[in-house]
Each structure stands twice: as C-alpha cells, then as structure tokens.
Amino acid sequence: MRSFFAKFKLFGLVLLPISAVIMYLFYNALQPVKLLPVYSPAMVNAELVSEEIQHVRKYHTIADFSLTNQNGETITQEDYKDKIYIADFFFTTCPTICPIMTKNMVDLQKALGNDSGVMLLSHSVTPEIDSVAQLKKYALEKGVDDATWNLVTGDKKQIYDLARKSYLAVKTDGDGGPFDMIHTENFILVDKKKRIRGFYDGTKKEDIDKILADIEILKKSYDENND
C-alpha cells in the first residue's frame, strides 16, 4: 500500500511543475499585447500643431529632410530607414536645459549599447552658429558615438518646420526666420515607419527610463508583427 501511494506522490511531484508551466503560458497568452500609441496632430496640444494640420487624425509621419552632421555628411531619412530613433532639438551654446538633455541622450546612448536598430538625432536650432566644426567639437566633448547619433545643422527653416510640423515638438508661432527661436525639452520617439510613438521630457531621469521601456515595447511589437 505504501509503495502504491509513493508512486502517486512521485506522479504529483512531476505533474506540479508541468501544471505551473502550463498555467504560466496560458496566463501570458491571455494578456493583451501592450502597444504604444501612434500620435497624430489631432492628438497633440493644439499650441504645438500648425493650424494647417490640426485636423489630421492618422497617417502623420516625419517629413523627408536633408541636413549635415558633425562629420560633414549629408543625413536624410535613408540613414534612419527601418530604425527606431529618438529626436530632439538643442544648440551647443545653450546654458540651461540643453546640457541636461545632452547628458541624458548620452545616458540613452550608453543604455542602448550596441543596439544598431535604435539611433539618436539631435537638430541644432541655431544652425548659423552650429557649424560642422562646432558640432564636431561638441560631439567630442560630450562623447557622441557617430555610428548611432547624428548632430545635424542646415537650413533653419527646414529644421524649424520639422520641429513644428513633423515632430510636433514646439509651439507653432514663428516662421523660421532670422529672429525666430525655438527651445524645447521634448524628446520624440519615432518608429520604423516614421511615426511618432511618444513624447518625453528630456530633462527628467524618469522620462529617460520611460523611453527605454517604451523602446522595448516597440521592439517587441515588431517581433510579434503587431506594429
């Protein structure tokens, strides 16, 4: 009799972990897949959206661009094709929020490590000051990795139109002229289809952690073909 129950005990010990694994797999299968929102102009504070596109509810993407990076190379959307990337707007002589933002971008660069699927893109809002040589000096001082992070300069109106009409990062007053100036702490997460997937305060450590978490969600959505 004792040996009979011993056999059932052994069976129970084997069945218990198998049941636990099955329960875990069922639980995970029933959990909804977390996806990031796809931002359109209609979803964003109207102050940050040009009047001509405030009605757009879907299919908003970052416009094509052609700018010059810290190495004197022309950078376009082709350089970010099929990449997730984080964009921001800064200037090298900024004494206030930009040094904090740049430090946090460096932290993102370090956290992302050798992940070639994620890149960074920083646009100068004072391109008349931030020449290629100035951007290169700044990049060397801050520890910018040229392989994944471009600091770009170029036509001021193009950069300001990108900030206002593509990235929806700053207030729309201004025309990109000589006396126009934008200043924003926004980091913008862009997906492989050039769509905005998140806005973050680039001066806050908790938002940097949020970006990294959201990048993982976005990458997982591609792995599962849900995005």
Side-chain angles (χ1 to χ4, degrees):
M1 181 69 73
R2 190 174 295 171
S3 62
F4 176 78
F5 282 112
K7 289 179 181 177
F8 272 98
K9 184 179 179 182
L10 180 61
F11 177 72
L13 290 173
V14 172
L15 186 62
L16 188 63
I18 293 173
S19 299
V21 170
I22 291 171
M23 292 276 289
Y24 174 77
L25 292 173
F26 266 112
Y27 175 80
N28 277 348
L30 292 171
Q31 293 302 302
V33 177
K34 189 171 183 182
L35 297 174
L36 300 179
V38 178
Y39 284 93
S40 64
M43 296 168 63
V44 179
N45 182 341
E47 288 188 353
L48 302 177
V49 182
S50 178
E51 189 174 347
E52 66 201 76
I53 59 170
Q54 285 178 5
H55 66 284
V56 176
R57 296 188 176 278
K58 54 184 179 179
Y59 307 126
H60 178 77
T61 57
I62 306 305
D64 291 340
F65 57 83
S66 180
L67 298 164
T68 306
N69 76 358
Q70 66 269 28
N71 297 316
E73 300 164 338
T74 299
I75 300 298
T76 69
Q77 281 283 15
E78 279 300 304
D79 295 282
Y80 288 82
K81 186 177 180 180
D82 295 326
K83 304 287 186 182
I84 296 168
Y85 72 95
I86 304 148
D88 76 335
F89 294 84
F90 82 113
F91 56 109
T92 61
T93 55
C94 167
T96 54
I97 62 173
C98 297
I100 302 169
M101 292 164 61
T102 300
K103 179 187 177 300
N104 285 336
M105 274 288 200
V106 170
D107 288 346
L108 282 171
Q109 177 182 258
K110 290 176 181 175
L112 292 166
N114 297 319
D115 189 344
S116 60
V118 185
M119 297 181 67
L120 310 176
L121 179 61
S122 295
H123 308 73
S124 170
V125 298
T126 57
E128 67 281 3
I129 296 171
D130 289 333
S131 62
V132 169
Q134 176 72 2
L135 289 181
K136 186 63 177 180
K137 179 174 178 288
Y138 189 82
L140 292 172
E141 288 173 353
K142 303 300 181 183
V144 172
D145 180 355
D146 294 355
T148 57
W149 187 0
N150 291 296
L151 313 181
V152 291
T153 188
D155 178 69
K156 183 176 180 179
K157 188 172 190 317
Q158 180 185 178
I159 292 170
Y160 278 45
D161 279 350
L162 283 168
R164 289 173 169 140
K165 297 179 182 179
S166 280
Y167 293 104
L168 313 179
V170 291
K171 290 188 177 183
T172 58
D173 53 335
D175 60 0
F179 303 106
D180 192 5
M181 180 66 184
I182 60 176
H183 208 201
T184 175
E185 70 281 0
N186 275 325
F187 281 11
I188 304 97
L189 179 62
V190 181
D191 71 13
K192 294 180 181 182
K193 297 179 181 178
K194 305 189 293 185
R195 303 175 302 181
I196 297 173
R197 305 307 294 269
F199 296 93
Y200 313 85
D201 186 331
T203 66
K204 294 182 177 178
K205 177 65 170 62
E206 57 268 30
D207 275 33
I208 303 309
D209 294 337
K210 181 72 165 56
I211 291 174
L212 290 169
D214 284 354
I215 286 172
E216 289 307 309
I217 292 170
L218 195 50
K219 285 161 64 176
K220 188 175 180 182
S221 74
Y222 290 123
D223 293 339
E224 297 177 356
N225 296 316
N226 290 313
D227 215 329

